[in-house]
Amino acid sequence: MSPRTSVRRVVSLVPSLTEAVAATAPELLVGVTDWCTHPPGLAAERIGGTKNPGTARIAALAPDLVIANEEENRPSDLAALRAAGLEVLVTEVRTLEQAFAELERVLVHGCGLGRPAWLAEAESAWADVRAADPVRHAVVPVWRRPWMVLGRDTFAGDVLARLGVRHLYSTHPERYPRVPIQELTARNADLVVLPDEPYRFTAEDGPEAFPGLPAALVSGRHLTWYGPSLAEAPAALTAALAAAR
């Protein structure tokens, strides 16, 4: 795909990508989801959630480009947007390398922008990362009631592995399996990693389910978002993991 110069109106269906566009060319954004929290005070129309966007409202905004993600957005909604004559760019991000490549595809080739300095800064921050030794083995819940954890082939799992944390369901057939708490606590993990999104785990809600196990309370934005937060993520996550020793 060659870089474009005709994009003036963008709708983002992914919080990470909203932040990436806003940090680079905020004037392009005309529509974002209700979950797009960064940057605060973003001046763009709210078009619903990532899983239930208002497709008619999006079409009425007449965007030149809609940016989406294969995990966060439903194929039926993306098909409806295409049927309305809109161009939809769908990203796939399951590793750090994919994150960097897809951010460049969205910003440079999709939106016709120059490659932003913050993207180079994020790449540099991760290039300096050295995994902690010894490796720690963790369970990483992402939801409660029912309990769900990181499984195979996830961006968050790849991020943790680079920091020296291997999660115990990395070979599970599902990407986000439901696992009973009795099984989670019986896996002899060294650590439980509890992000504050999509479920908002806190010091009072989560660690008590894993008695005797060190709990790392981490920022979900640093663990699961791919955008400007990637520059801060190595230091922020390393500090949170170290605090759980």
Side-chain angles (χ1 to χ4, degrees), residues 55-229:
T55 54
R57 290 167 62 191
I58 294 170
L61 289 171
D64 301 309
L65 183 68
V66 178
I67 51 179
N69 176 263
E70 51 89 30
E71 177 179 299
E72 296 202 43
N73 307 120
R74 300 184 304 178
S76 58
D77 293 322
L78 304 184
L81 293 172
R82 291 190 177 101
L86 302 180
E87 181 172 351
V88 181
L89 188 163
V90 183
T91 58
E92 178 184 284
V93 178
R94 302 190 183 187
T95 67
L96 190 63
E97 286 86 357
Q98 271 191 310
F100 292 137
E102 290 289 63
L103 285 165
E104 180 165 343
R105 185 165 75 100
V106 167
L107 298 171
V108 178
H109 301 286
C111 296
L113 302 170
R115 197 173 195 273
W118 63 257
L119 184 52
E121 291 167 4
E123 290 174 322
S124 177
W126 280 98
D128 293 337
V129 167
R130 297 295 178 266
D133 186 29
V135 170
R136 302 168 80 184
H137 297 87
V139 291
V140 188
V142 294
W143 201 256
R144 184 171 189 170
R145 306 181 190 93
W147 287 95
M148 299 174 67
V149 299
L150 290 186
R152 65 168 181 84
D153 198 20
T154 65
F155 173 71
D158 185 57
V159 165
L160 287 171
R162 294 166 188 273
L163 299 172
V165 176
R166 304 285 179 178
H167 68 92
L168 294 176
Y169 289 87
S170 61
T171 59
H172 194 282
E174 299 176 27
R175 297 185 67 209
Y176 299 98
R178 296 186 181 189
V179 183
I181 188 63
Q182 296 83 357
E183 179 181 330
L184 295 179
T185 56
R187 286 297 304 265
N188 294 320
D190 306 314
L191 175 72
V192 57
V193 177
L194 298 168
D196 62 10
E197 62 175 87
Y199 185 91
R200 188 172 179 78
F201 289 106
T202 67
E204 293 74 36
D205 184 359
E208 82 291 342
F210 300 86
L213 194 62
L217 295 165
V218 304
S219 159
R221 179 167 165 264
H222 289 128
L223 180 62
T224 65
W225 287 38
Y226 33 89
S229 59

Side-chain angles (χ1 to χ4, degrees), residues 7-32 36 38-39 42-44 65-68 89 91 102-114 116 118-119 225-229:
V7 171
R8 294 293 179 268
R9 298 174 64 81
V10 173
V11 169
S12 172
L13 303 182
V14 186
S16 296
L17 299 178
T18 296
E19 185 179 19
V21 176
T24 311
E27 69 279 3
L28 296 185
L29 288 168
V30 296
V32 300
C36 293
H38 286 75
L42 186 63
L65 183 68
V66 178
I67 51 179
L89 188 163
T91 58
E102 290 289 63
L103 285 165
E104 180 165 343
R105 185 165 75 100
V106 167
L107 298 171
V108 178
H109 301 286
C111 296
L113 302 170
W118 63 257
L119 184 52
W225 287 38
Y226 33 89
S229 59

